[in-house]
């Protein structure tokens, strides 16, 4: 992985740590590098779940047609009027970054809107805590929070086995890092 380098400065996601603070909701207008389009049979109910449960806000809407939701910069969702939603959520998911101190409140908010909408939280082998939410449109949405780095953890060993290591304590690099 020697072709890769630290580029955290272009991301709104804070560096992992116990004191990581989520960035403010981002209200700027930009060319979206990526976004998700999700059909909804009830835009008002969908907007309610995404805003009260998942922490998005309505950037703008075209009545009866489209609602553009956003959270942090580069976390854009377009809800569009649709004829139907699937009975089951697909295996495919979309993931959004969050910080650890948002996980519990996100779980609580989503469960208050739909008790069966949340799976998790669960810790992953790549050092995150993830929460999976099935939205009213049957979208599978994963919120993922980086956990503080513990160089002696199984997660650090998993990442090191594929060439990803943390910076050294003197600020130099011990190979590539997360």
């Amino acid at each position: 992985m020697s072709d890769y380098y630290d580029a955290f400065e272009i991301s709104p996601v804070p560096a992992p740590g116990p004191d990581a603070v989520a960035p403010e909701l981002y209200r700027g207008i930009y060319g979206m590098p990526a976004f998700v389009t999700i059909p909804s049979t009830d835009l008002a109910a969908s907007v309610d779940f995404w805003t009260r449960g998942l922490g998005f806000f309505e950037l703008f809407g075209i009545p009866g047609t489209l609602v553009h939701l956003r959270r942090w910069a580069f976390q854009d969702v377009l809800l569009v009027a649709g004829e139907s939603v699937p009975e089951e959520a697909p295996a495919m998911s979309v993931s959004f970054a969050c910080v650890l101190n948002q996980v519990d409140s996100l779980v609580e908010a989503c469960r208050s809107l739909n008790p069966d909408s949340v799976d998790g939280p669960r810790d992953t082998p790549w050092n995150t805590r993830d929460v999976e939410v099935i939205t009213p449109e049957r979208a599978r949405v994963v919120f993922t929070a980086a956990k503080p780095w513990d160089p002696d953890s199984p997660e650090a060993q998993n990442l090191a086995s594929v060439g990803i290591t943390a910076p050294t304590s003197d600020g130099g690099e011990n190979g590539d890092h997360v």
Side-chain angles (χ1 to χ4, degrees), residues 2 13 17 21 41 46-47 55 63 78 88 96 111 118 124 146 149 152 166-170:
S2 62
V13 180
V21 176
T41 57
S46 293
V47 168
L78 302 180
E88 299 280 328
F96 295 101
R111 284 194 175 135
V118 178
T124 68
W149 184 255
D152 299 321
T168 60
S169 59
D170 66 0

Side-chain angles (χ1 to χ4, degrees), residues 76-133:
D76 293 277
V77 174
L78 302 180
L79 296 174
V80 297
E83 299 286 322
S84 64
V85 296
E87 289 293 319
E88 299 280 328
M92 187 180 93
S93 65
V94 59
S95 296
F96 295 101
C98 66
V99 295
L100 280 173
N101 67 12
Q102 293 180 308
V103 170
D104 292 340
S105 60
L106 182 128
V107 167
E108 184 179 314
C110 288
R111 284 194 175 135
S112 74
L113 296 168
N114 178 350
D116 299 324
S117 64
V118 178
D119 181 22
R122 67 181 176 281
D123 291 341
T124 68
W126 47 90
N127 206 43
T128 64
R129 180 159 300 141
D130 290 3
V131 174
E132 183 179 276
V133 178

Side-chain angles (χ1 to χ4, degrees), residues 19-178:
D19 58 346
V21 176
E24 295 293 320
L25 298 178
Y26 192 80
R27 299 181 187 282
I29 301 297
Y30 53 75
M32 298 183 302
F35 58 93
V36 179
T37 303
I38 300 175
S40 170
T41 57
D42 185 341
L43 285 173
S46 293
V47 168
D48 184 58
F49 189 89
W50 282 80
T51 56
R52 292 193 313 137
L54 301 176
F56 283 75
F57 69 93
E58 184 174 335
L59 187 63
F60 71 87
I62 301 170
T65 304
L66 171 138
V67 178
H68 184 156
L69 302 174
R70 179 174 296 150
R71 221 168 137 261
W72 302 352
F74 313 121
Q75 293 186 344
D76 293 277
V77 174
L78 302 180
L79 296 174
V80 297
E83 299 286 322
S84 64
V85 296
E87 289 293 319
E88 299 280 328
M92 187 180 93
S93 65
V94 59
S95 296
F96 295 101
C98 66
V99 295
L100 280 173
N101 67 12
Q102 293 180 308
V103 170
D104 292 340
S105 60
L106 182 128
V107 167
E108 184 179 314
C110 288
R111 284 194 175 135
S112 74
L113 296 168
N114 178 350
D116 299 324
S117 64
V118 178
D119 181 22
R122 67 181 176 281
D123 291 341
T124 68
W126 47 90
N127 206 43
T128 64
R129 180 159 300 141
D130 290 3
V131 174
E132 183 179 276
V133 178
I134 305 300
T135 69
E137 314 79 33
R138 306 295 185 273
R140 186 177 306 274
V141 178
V142 177
F143 278 81
T144 184
K147 297 186 321 186
W149 184 255
D150 175 357
D152 299 321
S153 70
E155 293 85 356
Q157 292 170 7
N158 289 337
L159 293 169
S161 74
V162 295
I164 301 171
T165 58
T168 60
S169 59
D170 66 0
E173 291 191 23
N174 182 19
D176 301 312
H177 63 278
V178 290

